[in-house]
């Protein structure tokens, strides 16, 4: 039977609609979570965040290769918003794009956690920078909802040094269930651009590349595979604790970042087999300052009988301090041989630093109790790394230190690099390089 004119018209209309729909941008899966990031040197925001986005946005076939612009919008809980997202009430957020080695192209947005913005973010995609009607696709990310923030892991450490260390951690007690643990490795020497895809808010930044991701089904340790790490390269290790939705997507996550540069075991005196790693809180250097990055530790079960090895960046020396409620330091032993391998121990007398011992050799120890401090000390400094060693406070090469404590408990203290002020010409280059890289720790430029 021949088609009636009305049927022909309807069929033509459906074809036009199908063509129009096929001519719009598309995307893969969307995501949204509450994200807690520790301090880190990968150039990711730290603190309590809302994080959302989608994977693999693509231009329509008719515009293959075209730029897909994007922004996100949400009407906060309890607010009456205008019909248009450009009207009153709406919260708009720019979207950035990044393409890491181990994951698909990702469009994402982030902002400080706000309980009024835990609904669904609408992510707009268009090859038209004005997002004109008929050119856009709108993808709704899943709502985060009233989910609790995930806590960080504790007592992060490496069993053995070298290129295939075993990463271990202690899970915290948590009211929010830990449904999944993931380990990620970031290559801090390989930076990937993160570029704004929102025309009204241009800009870009650099972030450390993700080179390895592994889900840990059970247990609290993982041995990194051969061929992943290289000597002389700076990495950050991140342990993620995930709370999942019923569909197994991540609803709440914490990421505990720890910096690590592989250490050749042959270079260490005393062959430590368990090295605790810190998180990083960098502080800016200024002319005349003697401050470097501050490293925060959380190590459970320290004692007077077991040596706890810690590995921060290196400089001309280091300032060690216990945290609130920690047992005092009983002794220190230096495992790394830097420069001539001879160091100085300084103690705080209440008003100034005083020399307690000169010529402390790598592998030797200094006992604070035996030196007359019956209760141990809550702070001390190691100095004496020669400027000729040319070691930067922002280059996480190895300086492994062994500590014992006057009692049992936890070590939540810090270790801060003491930075020798270089010659004026070198200082200008150093500060210029540091300023360009923000808070990312890089090797100082030297004349």
């Amino acid at each position: 039977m021949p088609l009636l004119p009305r049927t022909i018209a309807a069929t033509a209309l459906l074809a036009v609609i199908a063509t129009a729909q096929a001519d719009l941008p598309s995307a893969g899966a969307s995501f949204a979570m509450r994200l807690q990031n520790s301090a880190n040197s990968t150039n990711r925001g730290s603190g309590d965040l809302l994080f959302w986005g989608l994977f693999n946005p693509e231009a329509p076939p008719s515009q293959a290769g075209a730029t897909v612009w994007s922004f996100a919008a949400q009407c906060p809980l309890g607010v009456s918003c205008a019909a248009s997202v450009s009207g009153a009430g709406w919260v708009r957020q720019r979207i950035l794009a990044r393409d890491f080695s181990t994951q698909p192209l990702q469009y994402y947005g982030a902002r400080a956690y706000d309980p009024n913005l835990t609904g669904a973010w609408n992510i707009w995609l268009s090859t038209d920078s004005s997002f004109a009607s008929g050119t856009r696709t709108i993808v709704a990310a899943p709502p985060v909802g009233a989910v609790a923030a995930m806590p960080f892991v504790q007592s992060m450490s490496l069993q053995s040094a070298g290129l295939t260390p075993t990463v271990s951690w202690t899970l915290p007690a948590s009211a929010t269930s830990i449904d999944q643990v993931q380990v990620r490795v970031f290559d801090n020497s390989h930076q990937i651009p993160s570029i704004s895809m929102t025309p009204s808010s241009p800009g870009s930044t650099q972030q450390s590349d993700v080179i390895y991701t592994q889900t840990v089904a059970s247990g609290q340790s993982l041995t990194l595979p051969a061929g992943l790490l290289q000597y002389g390269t700076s990495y950050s290790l991140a342990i993620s604790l995930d709370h999942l939705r019923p569909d197994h997507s991540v609803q709440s996550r914490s990421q505990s970042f720890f910096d690590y540069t592989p250490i050749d075991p042959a270079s260490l005196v005393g062959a430590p087999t368990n090295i605790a790693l810190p998180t990083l809180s960098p502080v800016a250097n200024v002319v005349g300052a003697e401050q470097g990055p501050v490293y925060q530790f959380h190590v459970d079960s320290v004692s007077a009988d077991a040596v706890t090895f810690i590995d921060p960046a290196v400089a001309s020396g280091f300032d060690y301090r216990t945290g609130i409620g920690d047992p005092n330091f009983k002794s220190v032993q230096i495992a790394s041989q830097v420069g001539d391998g001879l160091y100085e121990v300084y103690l705080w007398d209440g008003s100034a630093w005083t020399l307690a011992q000169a010529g402390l050799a790598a592998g030797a120890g200094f006992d604070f109790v035996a030196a007359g401090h019956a209760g141990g000390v809550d702070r001390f400094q190691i100095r004496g790394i020669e400027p000729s060693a040319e070691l930067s406070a922002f280059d996480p090469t190895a300086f492994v230190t062994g500590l014992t404590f006057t009692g049992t408990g936890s070590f939540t203290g810090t270790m801060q690099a003491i930075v020798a002020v270089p010659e004026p010409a070198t200082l200008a280059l150093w500060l210029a390089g540091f300023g360009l890289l923000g808070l990312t720790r890089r090797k100082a430029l030297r004349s």
Side-chain angles (χ1 to χ4, degrees):
M1 177 183 291
L3 293 175
L4 298 175
R6 181 176 297 179
T7 304
I8 295 173
T11 303
L13 178 59
L14 290 174
V16 169
I17 293 173
T19 301
Q21 289 175 338
D23 210 37
L24 295 176
S26 61
S30 63
F31 59 87
M33 68 186 73
R34 185 173 184 175
L35 177 63
Q36 281 253 88
N37 278 341
S38 74
N40 64 88
S41 54
T42 69
N43 204 20
R44 283 158 175 79
S46 59
D48 194 358
L49 307 171
L50 287 169
F51 178 65
W52 69 93
L54 47 78
F55 292 106
N56 286 331
E58 293 184 353
S62 63
Q63 302 178 59
T67 298
V68 179
W69 302 104
S70 184
F71 72 90
Q74 184 178 156
C75 184
L77 297 175
V79 175
S80 296
C81 294
S84 170
V85 294
S86 60
W90 288 91
V91 174
R92 291 168 59 108
Q93 188 76 19
R94 76 172 180 173
I95 292 293
L96 296 102
R98 59 189 181 188
D99 195 7
F100 294 125
S101 295
T102 61
Q103 68 181 36
L105 174 64
Q106 182 186 78
Y107 274 28
Y108 72 97
R111 62 182 293 133
Y113 177 79
D114 183 338
N116 294 317
L117 291 173
T118 56
W121 286 93
N122 291 318
I123 305 170
W124 291 49
L125 303 171
S126 178
T127 53
D128 179 0
S129 60
S130 66
F131 297 90
S133 177
T135 71
R136 62 202 185 212
T137 298
I138 302 175
V139 178
V144 170
V147 65
M150 294 296 286
F152 297 118
V153 302
Q154 299 177 335
S155 300
M156 169 75 171
S157 65
L158 299 179
Q159 279 70 51
S160 79
L163 299 178
T164 57
T166 297
V167 187
S168 298
W169 56 90
T170 300
L171 296 177
S174 172
T176 303
S177 62
I178 300 171
D179 301 317
Q180 175 177 274
V181 180
Q182 290 188 326
V183 177
R184 291 179 179 82
V185 178
F186 299 79
D187 184 347
N188 295 333
S189 65
H190 186 200
Q191 299 289 298
I192 296 295
S194 182
I195 303 170
S196 174
M197 304 309 298
T198 304
S200 61
S201 182
S204 65
T205 187
Q206 298 285 319
Q207 294 184 326
S208 301
D209 190 18
V210 182
I211 61 171
Y212 177 79
T213 301
Q214 180 63 52
T215 300
V216 182
S218 61
Q220 298 179 40
S221 67
L222 176 71
T223 299
L224 297 182
L228 177 66
L229 307 181
Q230 297 180 357
Y231 289 126
T233 301
S234 165
Y235 300 96
S236 290
L237 313 179
I239 311 299
S240 297
L241 305 183
D242 295 344
H243 174 67
L244 305 180
R245 297 181 179 88
D247 65 359
H248 301 293
S249 63
V250 178
Q251 186 176 12
S252 186
R253 165 179 288 169
S254 69
Q255 288 195 120
S256 303
F257 290 86
F258 303 86
D259 291 338
Y260 176 62
T261 295
I263 306 165
D264 185 349
S267 69
L268 299 177
V269 180
T273 58
N274 193 320
I275 302 173
L277 298 181
T279 54
L280 169 69
S281 299
V283 294
N285 283 274
V286 295
V287 175
E290 292 188 350
Q291 291 185 323
V294 176
Y295 295 87
Q296 177 73 49
F297 291 87
H298 190 137
V299 183
D300 290 335
S301 302
V302 299
S303 70
D305 301 321
V307 179
T308 300
F309 288 94
I310 56 180
D311 173 29
V314 296
S316 65
F318 298 95
D319 182 289
Y320 302 72
R321 304 194 184 207
T322 58
I324 297 175
D326 294 354
N328 279 346
F329 299 113
K330 178 180 182 294
S331 69
V332 59
Q333 172 190 338
I334 301 170
S336 296
Q337 183 160 333
V338 178
D340 64 6
L342 298 176
Y343 309 97
E344 301 162 352
V345 180
Y346 279 77
L347 298 181
W348 182 251
D349 67 5
S351 60
W353 291 101
T354 60
L355 179 65
Q357 180 172 329
L360 180 67
F366 183 85
D367 192 310
F368 304 114
V369 174
H373 300 272
V377 298
D378 66 353
R379 70 192 71 180
F380 68 93
Q381 290 185 346
I382 298 293
R383 303 183 190 178
I385 301 174
E386 297 85 359
S388 60
E390 296 187 346
L391 295 170
S392 167
F394 303 99
D395 179 19
T397 49
F399 191 82
V400 179
T401 309
L403 304 171
T404 65
F405 297 80
T406 56
T408 58
S410 297
F411 174 47
T412 61
T414 59
M415 185 174 182
Q416 183 172 14
I418 301 170
V419 180
V421 178
E423 296 298 321
T426 302
L427 178 63
L429 288 172
W430 186 12
L431 293 179
F434 182 65
L436 288 173
L437 292 168
L439 294 181
T440 302
R441 297 183 310 150
R442 303 283 291 184
K443 189 169 185 177
L445 299 175
R446 300 185 181 273
S447 57

